[in-house]
Amino acid sequence: MKTINLIPLAIALLPLCIHAAYNDAESDYTLAEQRTHVWNEALEPIELVNSILCFTAQFNSVEFANQGPYLVLADESICFDEDKSGDGGQSSGASNQTQLMKAVSTVERDSETEPLVVSVWLPDMGQDEQGEQAIKFKATIRDGVTDTNPFGDFTFNFDFFDNFEQNNQSGGGEVKTISDLEGQIGFTLYEQGSHGGNESYKQCASVVMSEDRSTGTALTGMESGNREQVFALAFNESRVLVQSTNGDFDDLPYKSGIIQRVLSV
């Protein structure tokens, strides 16, 4: 039996192993795609709008106009993430594990110039400490997404139920785009509900920005039980200015003139 001496080969490769650092220019570590997520409590309601639009985009509604009900298997994991960074719950990024959610959708349109009306039922959103969950929503889409308006023009209403057999409603809300401000785009959000049928909560947002999205302002607010907090934000391409207070919008520093907390990042 022939024996191969591997010691010289190992010695020859040893310098490469020693000097090739994990962060060298061509290493897998350096070349791997990087993602950065910044959590800010003031952005929680805005993050919800992003997640809703991401989820509903999977329904391909235009392709099924006036074709009757159809079944959708939408991946919840790419739009929502239960791994939150903070007490309130802004997404820190999408999950890598596929979570298919079954939905029934119908799309109606009287003509090519009329709005698209999308009705969706999600009968089984799973069960957690809050009990059973089911969602019904209706979207009226008046205009599609363009380069100058990534939101399009729509009104999106949603309602929460325990299930569609008992039909006990536990909350709901609305997302609506802003289309009547010349040279500006934006949206509003309002949502209210209850945690496990006990503690109630509310959250809202109003966002207005330039068409190129380089500057803008926003008001956001959250209320849960006895805790209420509101925020005012202004941003440009390099900075975000945040004001907050434990109260209502009239108590914000830019309205009251009393500086309670100003954060520039």
Side-chain angles (χ1 to χ4, degrees), residues 137-152:
F137 70 76
K138 180 179 180 180
T140 302
I141 305 171
R142 294 172 290 273
D143 199 2
V145 172
T146 64
D147 291 338
T148 57
N149 188 353
F151 308 120

Side-chain angles (χ1 to χ4, degrees), residues 27-254:
S27 69
D28 291 341
Y29 175 88
T30 303
L31 297 177
E33 182 180 357
Q34 299 183 32
R35 296 182 177 89
T36 301
H37 304 281
V38 178
W39 179 83
N40 190 319
E41 188 177 11
L43 301 179
E44 287 182 26
I46 299 174
E47 180 69 16
L48 173 62
V49 174
N50 291 335
S51 297
I52 290 174
L53 296 180
C54 168
F55 184 73
T56 56
Q58 301 179 60
F59 286 68
N60 297 325
S61 300
V62 176
E63 299 180 16
F64 293 92
N66 299 323
Q67 296 187 29
Y70 65 98
L71 185 65
V72 179
L73 291 177
D75 187 0
E76 182 185 21
S77 67
I78 65 175
C79 303
F80 298 89
D81 191 352
E82 296 302 322
D83 182 17
K84 309 291 176 71
S85 300
D87 295 334
Q90 184 182 341
S91 271
S92 61
S95 169
N96 291 326
Q97 184 175 358
T98 300
Q99 299 177 25
L100 294 179
M101 190 69 60
K102 182 173 70 175
V104 179
S105 178
T106 61
V107 184
E108 299 176 343
R109 193 175 199 177
D110 292 337
S111 70
E112 292 186 358
T113 59
E114 293 297 314
L116 202 69
V117 180
V118 183
S119 300
V120 175
W121 295 262
L122 292 99
D124 184 12
M125 295 292 292
Q127 187 167 356
D128 55 19
E129 67 276 2
Q130 300 179 20
E132 294 180 283
Q133 293 181 330
I135 297 178
K136 178 166 57 178
F137 70 76
K138 180 179 180 180
T140 302
I141 305 171
R142 294 172 290 273
D143 199 2
V145 172
T146 64
D147 291 338
T148 57
N149 188 353
F151 308 120
D153 184 11
F154 67 87
T155 301
F156 181 96
N157 297 101
F158 54 95
D159 296 295
F160 306 135
F161 299 87
D162 52 357
N163 55 64
F164 290 146
E165 295 179 359
Q166 301 296 325
N167 268 334
N168 296 318
Q169 187 169 353
S170 57
E174 178 185 79
V175 180
K176 185 176 181 179
T177 54
I178 297 172
S179 57
D180 55 355
L181 297 177
E182 185 176 354
Q184 295 181 311
I185 58 175
F187 57 84
T188 61
L189 160 76
Y190 179 80
E191 179 191 359
Q192 60 85 28
S194 60
H195 298 298
N198 297 318
E199 185 179 78
S200 62
Y201 73 89
K202 296 178 183 178
Q203 61 178 337
C204 59
S206 179
V207 182
V208 177
M209 65 190 79
S210 59
E211 288 184 344
D212 63 2
R213 287 165 282 171
S214 62
T215 60
T217 58
L219 294 173
T220 65
M222 290 151 287
E223 180 180 339
S224 181
N226 296 323
R227 180 177 179 268
E228 181 178 4
Q229 191 164 20
V230 296
F231 302 87
L233 304 93
F235 66 88
N236 57 27
E237 293 179 331
S238 58
R239 291 187 178 276
V240 178
L241 179 68
V242 182
Q243 294 182 346
S244 71
T245 186
N246 296 321
D248 57 33
F249 290 106
D250 289 334
D251 297 324
L252 282 164
Y254 85 96

